[in-house]
Amino acid sequence: MRSTTVLPGTPSPPPSAGDVPLHRLEVAGPGAAPFAAGSFEEVGPLSRWDRPHRHTFYEIVHVSAGSGTHVVDLARWPVRPPQLAVVLPGQVHHWEGGQGPEGTLVLFTDDFLVDHPGDRELLRELGARCWFGLDAEQDRSLRPLIGELVAEHRQRAPGHESVLRSLLHVLVVRAARLPGRTASGREPRTQGRPAAVAEAFTRLITRPRAAGWTVQECADRLGVTAGYLTQAVRAATGRPPGRLLIEARVYQAQQLLAHTELSVRQVAARTGFADPAYFSRFFRRETGSSPGAFRKHHSHHHQSLEAPRRPA
């Protein structure tokens, strides 16, 4: 979605007073997949930034060398490679001291998970644990997979987006199998009522029937005021709940366009739009393409992976 990605060289807007900087994902050009993978040097100097900041995207980091500390939401994790880190959109993090780190990063936005929506819940669980020490066997399992993601992203061969989504799904599932605890040594759990409200809100807006709900309607269902919900969600993610509602609505529309044969009019109705023309304008504004173009593009990438059938 446009609000989570930018073209190379686009400056980040200055944060509001008291807020930490919010970085958006750089993509190759208009219509490019919201995905990037490569070394710290390839991703750029902000990948090792030593100032607290947030992202609009997920960041999976395979640390292969270096030292120092990775600070995520005030939890401090010593860098002792090989390790894997998972940073969620909205989490505050930075690198501190030492040498490095060195390794590989995999970056992607929420809507890149359109083929595997269940991965969103796995990533939330991974983000709660955040930091994983890898033994030799675990490192051998993950390193080639991450290398394939980097190679596929660099080559951009026909069908590469579908391959990237499939490889990313495997990476998320394998990472979810890793043993790990929070910085306190306990299993992850929500901290405080505001965090619990924010977590409940993120679960609520993934429901199909949530399409078209307002912030006030969500607050009513969660038993809080709209003001309290806005404060809780901003504290947890760095973004207002209205923006997240829009992104959830777009994500649902993308899934329906990619994986069903519903007409654009039917997709509009399913996502809470009475006027298909308004839905098309909304979808183009948020994604940069029309519903029909998105469906055609997604269908093309899937078809390009199908092996040609020999005549019987």
Side-chain angles (χ1 to χ4, degrees):
M1 293 166 216
R2 287 184 168 181
S3 65
T4 61
T5 60
V6 293
L7 298 178
T10 304
S12 297
S16 303
D19 285 348
V20 298
L22 181 68
H23 296 168
R24 292 175 289 176
L25 179 63
E26 285 195 359
V27 295
F35 179 94
S39 66
F40 279 86
E41 286 72 22
E42 289 173 310
V43 171
L46 291 181
S47 63
R48 290 196 183 97
W49 217 27
D50 59 1
R51 291 176 54 194
H53 60 281
R54 302 177 191 258
H55 303 151
T56 61
F57 51 89
Y58 297 91
E59 178 175 327
I60 299 178
V61 189
H62 178 246
V63 183
S64 57
S67 60
T69 304
H70 188 202
V71 183
V72 184
D73 287 340
L74 303 181
R76 303 176 64 82
W77 306 90
V79 176
R80 294 169 185 159
Q83 290 166 310
L84 192 77
V86 179
V87 183
L88 304 181
Q91 285 189 302
V92 179
H93 86 120
H94 68 280
W95 302 91
E96 190 176 276
Q99 301 295 320
E102 301 290 341
T104 308
L105 300 96
V106 178
L107 316 174
F108 53 97
T109 64
D110 208 34
D111 49 321
F112 194 70
L113 303 172
V114 64
D115 285 355
H116 302 283
D119 288 354
R120 301 169 90 190
E121 182 60 35
L122 290 179
L123 284 161
R124 280 197 291 270
E125 294 173 4
L126 286 166
R129 292 186 283 162
C130 180
W131 194 250
F132 304 85
L134 305 176
D135 61 27
E137 183 177 349
Q138 291 164 344
D139 192 47
R140 281 194 298 270
S141 172
L142 295 178
R143 188 185 293 262
L145 181 56
I146 294 172
E148 284 190 67
L149 279 162
V150 173
E152 195 68 34
H153 177 61
R154 286 174 180 162
Q155 293 164 6
R156 291 179 170 80
H160 74 282
E161 288 185 28
S162 293
V163 175
L164 286 171
R165 286 186 170 95
S166 297
L167 291 171
L168 178 62
H169 172 63
V170 175
L171 175 61
V172 170
V173 170
R174 287 188 181 175
R177 296 171 181 169
L178 295 171
R181 294 176 180 271
T182 61
S184 66
R186 300 178 180 179
E187 293 298 330
R189 65 179 182 180
T190 303
Q191 298 295 318
R193 185 168 184 254
V197 168
E199 185 176 339
F201 173 77
T202 59
R203 289 197 303 267
L204 181 69
I205 65 177
T206 62
R207 300 176 184 176
R209 59 194 175 99
W213 285 356
T214 65
V215 173
Q216 183 63 62
E217 287 171 321
C218 290
D220 291 343
R221 284 169 170 81
L222 295 173
V224 297
T225 66
Y228 186 90
L229 177 62
T230 298
Q231 290 178 353
V233 172
R234 274 193 179 276
T237 69
R239 293 189 288 166
R243 182 68 241 171
L244 298 182
L245 278 167
I246 289 172
E247 292 177 7
R249 207 172 186 184
V250 174
Y251 181 78
Q252 183 185 355
Q254 288 176 319
Q255 283 192 295
L256 293 171
L257 290 167
H259 301 301
T260 74
E261 296 183 357
L262 294 174
S263 67
V264 172
R265 178 181 293 274
Q266 290 170 317
V267 171
R270 289 279 189 96
T271 50
F273 291 89
D275 182 357
Y278 179 68
F279 164 72
S280 294
R281 293 195 297 272
F282 165 86
F283 191 88
R284 182 185 289 277
R285 185 190 73 212
E286 293 298 323
T287 68
S289 68
S290 68
F294 175 85
R295 170 171 276 168
K296 183 177 180 181
H297 175 76
H298 195 86
S299 174
H300 168 75
H301 278 283
H302 276 285
Q303 290 172 2
S304 65
L305 293 181
E306 294 179 359
R309 296 181 180 178
R310 296 182 179 178

